DNA sequence: TACCTCTATTTGAACGTTCAAACCATTAGA
DNA sequence: TCTAATGGTTTGAACGTTCAAATAGAGGTA
């Protein structure tokens, strides 16, 4: 029993109206008389009609597809899959579907844009992992294609010219640092990533700000807070080494740029440690961590795009900054 | 500068041939004279032509889309995102794209099948998380729709009637158990899931088999190996409790059904522990674990589907069983 | 010469939808 | 009574592709 295809013409026949009237009921119900509308709706229901997106797309140029790159699982402790799940769910609610692609670097990603646009004409792209000198955004912007980035346009003139959604990393680490300050700690170390990564620098800045706000450090201990900071490649191994150094230097608590380095830091000794991203690892080992509101972020991405695609496009691009929340567990 | 659309007619004009000839060069090159073929190929190149999938689909009914459900991140320590990445990559190589959907249970997933088929007509579905009494497969099979499952059809008459790809969990736990036997252990415990989950029972059986093959247990210790087994809900907490009991009962090493319970088991004492799935957690904490060949599995799924869709369909459905590999780290 | 076969290419139609324009009543205004 | 405007509906065409059938040309055979 192959599922027989139901077309708009079948519905029209059933409801004794023309194709166009059915189309209107679906797309501009206001144009159709109440009574007719109801009759058509019933016919749609009875026949289980669903609009054929391929045909619609031919006529309108709209595919109702959002293209997203699926990330390489580098060290695997990433957070992207939760974002993607949220995105798929929110998109579906708005009548869109998510189509995936892979790419190794910006250049090949741009080539894939071209490919996808030719073949599937996605209505918009959702970009992740924004970074300094991101050429993807300018490529898309030049062609006036719709997109949002999950992540701020690091290094762009204030705010950036395109819509984005992001999580305020600095606010997160500031909260974490204050949490430790409240517990009586003053010499709070930070284990970060190499300078130059937008996300890393942002997370670092929250820690620095919170410490500054807490007033000068006790003179007797250390004259320079800078010594309470270490940069790592993000691995647990370097996290552990960094933690040992910081503890030796007098740190009594640690804020980390990621759960991965936090996990390493935990091996260095019984010092309070706070991670970032609230990955499964954090939950499993009881690591206090900062949780990104990922499904919320995904929903906002979809909203930004639907506004862009459907409503009269806003004069100013949407910029959404969400706050992470501290999930307190055993380690701090 | 909007990207101007290039249609098959543009290419035809450029190469001074008809639309159909261009189409033939792309789809049945054998029909076209060498010289013409080359001329058309060049025109395609120069204009950057890409076939419009919507138009093609209208005519052929083929969308070149594979639909996959994106899993809920339950405890988060799953492995699905790596599979999905591999699937996207392999699909792209074969000229397909992956389209995502979500669903909470089998019923709603079937409803989504219907939706997707009406709107996007995916050429095939890739199902994951197969289980006893899986109604999704029969729904698809009844309608003669193409699909593969990543996971065997548990509880179906030998082998199942539809194509599948899976990883041999029993072989994995057997390898793990032998690894511990080789290290001199005899009283090796198993921490599993509740009976009735296909995957869980399968993984358990490998452990049981390997122990059996090693000959009877030392009489003096325990008369019944059954005592060396515990079932849990899969959480780290229950894993830890189970491990304590097993160690108290004399176990000197533990094989676990998942990294999650293995992580718990590690807290119970300094006993060799082997997990399953080689999740990021395992890598981060140095847990020896069984690694599923996920990108290979994904590639096989794509191959099974392309055979089904493009070649003369095989008389017997493809069944592929892959071996996991033991990744040896600190814990065993 | 007439007829057939084979290869290479072209032509017309169709897939299912929506846009744009046309049509038809009905009501309102002069 | 005629014209104009309004609301509701229908009709024809078009999106870009491929299928099926048609055509043209070259070669072979009787």
């Amino acid at each position: 029993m192959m599922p027989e295809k139901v077309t708009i013409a079948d519905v029209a026949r059933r409801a004794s109206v023309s194709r166009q009237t059915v189309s209107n009921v679906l797309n501009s119900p206001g144009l159709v008389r109440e009574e007719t509308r109801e009759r058509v709706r019933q016919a749609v229901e009875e026949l289980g009609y669903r609009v054929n997106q391929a045909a619609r797309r031919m006529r309108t140029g709209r595919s109702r597809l959002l293209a997203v790159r699926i990330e390489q699982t580098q060290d695997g402790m990433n957070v992207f899959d939760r974002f993607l799940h949220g995105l798929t769910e929110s998109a579906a609610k708005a009548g869109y579907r998510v189509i995936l692609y892979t790419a190794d670097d910006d250049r090949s990603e741009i080539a894939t844009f071209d490919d996808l646009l030719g073949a599937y004409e996605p209505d918009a792209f959702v970009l992740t992992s924004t970074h300094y000198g991101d050429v993807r955004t300018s490529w898309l912007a030049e062609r006036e294609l719709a997109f949002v980035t999950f992540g701020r346009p690091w290094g762009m003139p204030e705010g950036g010219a395109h819509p984005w959604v992001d999580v305020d990393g600095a606010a997160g680490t500031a909260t974490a640092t204050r949490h430790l300050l409240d517990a009586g700690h003053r010499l709070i170390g930070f284990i970060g990533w190499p300078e130059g990564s937008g996300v890393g620098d942002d997370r670092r800045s929250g820690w620095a700000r919170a410490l500054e706000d807490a007033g000068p450090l006790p003179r007797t201990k250390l004259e320079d807070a800078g010594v309470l900071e270490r940069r790592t490649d993000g691995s647990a191994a370097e996290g552990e080494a960094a933690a040992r150094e910081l503890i030796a230097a007098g740190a009594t608590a640690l804020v980390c740029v990621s759960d991965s380095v936090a996990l390493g830091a935990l091996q260095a000794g019984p010092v309070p440690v706070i991670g970032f991203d609230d990955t499964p690892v954090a939950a499993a080992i009881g690591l206090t961590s900062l949780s990104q509101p990922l499904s919320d972020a995904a929903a906002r991405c979809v909203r930004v795009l639907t506004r862009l695609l459907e409503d009269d496009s806003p004069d100013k691009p949407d910029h959404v900054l969400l706050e992470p929340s501290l999930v307190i567990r055993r380690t701090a």
Side-chain angles (χ1 to χ4, degrees), chain A residues 40-240:
Chain A
V40 171
R41 287 236 166 92
Q42 196 168 337
V44 166
E45 192 72 25
E46 288 169 3
L47 297 175
Y49 169 77
R50 284 183 176 81
V51 64
N52 179 318
Q53 292 290 352
R56 166 179 284 179
R57 177 176 143 204
M58 285 224 61
R59 192 71 252 254
T60 63
R62 283 279 151 89
S63 62
R64 301 202 78 89
L65 288 174
L66 307 181
V68 186
R69 185 181 106 217
I70 180 162
E71 307 244 330
Q72 299 272 36
T73 34
Q74 335 142 50
D75 72 336
M77 281 168 76
N78 62 8
V79 100
F80 175 75
D81 57 338
R82 279 186 278 166
F83 174 73
L84 187 56
H85 188 277
L87 195 72
T88 306
E89 211 154 32
S90 296
K93 277 186 196 132
Y96 289 82
R97 294 279 169 189
V98 171
I99 187 171
L100 295 178
Y101 62 93
T102 59
D104 294 330
D105 52 33
D106 284 6
R107 268 241 323 275
S108 72
E109 185 159 358
I110 288 176
T112 308
F113 291 162
D114 222 13
D115 249 35
L116 279 169
L117 287 166
Y120 294 94
E121 296 179 80
D123 289 344
F125 291 87
V126 178
L127 303 190
T128 54
S129 302
T130 51
H131 48 260
Y132 288 119
D134 201 321
V135 287
R136 304 172 299 168
T137 51
S138 36
W139 192 94
L140 290 169
E142 271 171 25
R143 286 159 184 76
E144 297 180 19
L145 296 164
F147 69 100
V148 218
T149 61
F150 176 43
R152 274 159 279 180
W154 301 107
M156 296 287 172
E158 203 35 58
H162 63 75
W164 52 258
V165 172
D166 202 2
V167 173
D168 193 339
T173 46
T175 303
T177 306
R178 276 194 299 270
H179 176 71
L180 294 169
L181 286 165
D182 289 350
H185 296 277
R186 294 306 311 272
L187 297 173
I188 300 168
F190 182 79
I191 307 181
W193 287 325
E195 195 163 2
S197 103
V199 176
D201 294 350
D202 182 46
R203 292 183 181 176
R204 181 197 167 283
S205 73
W207 160 79
R209 171 157 49 84
L211 274 193
E212 214 166 285
D213 291 352
L217 285 179
R219 285 283 165 121
T220 49
K221 297 274 188 172
L222 292 162
E223 64 265 27
D224 178 21
V227 80
L228 284 184
E229 178 183 359
R230 288 292 181 285
R231 311 236 178 219
T232 71
D233 62 0
S235 68
E238 290 207 5
E240 180 173 352

Side-chain angles (χ1 to χ4, degrees), chain A residues 180 185 187-190 207 246-247 250-255 271-274:
Chain A
L180 294 169
H185 296 277
L187 297 173
I188 300 168
F190 182 79
W207 160 79
L246 290 173
I247 292 170
T252 65
L254 299 171
V255 173
V271 176
V273 171
I274 299 183

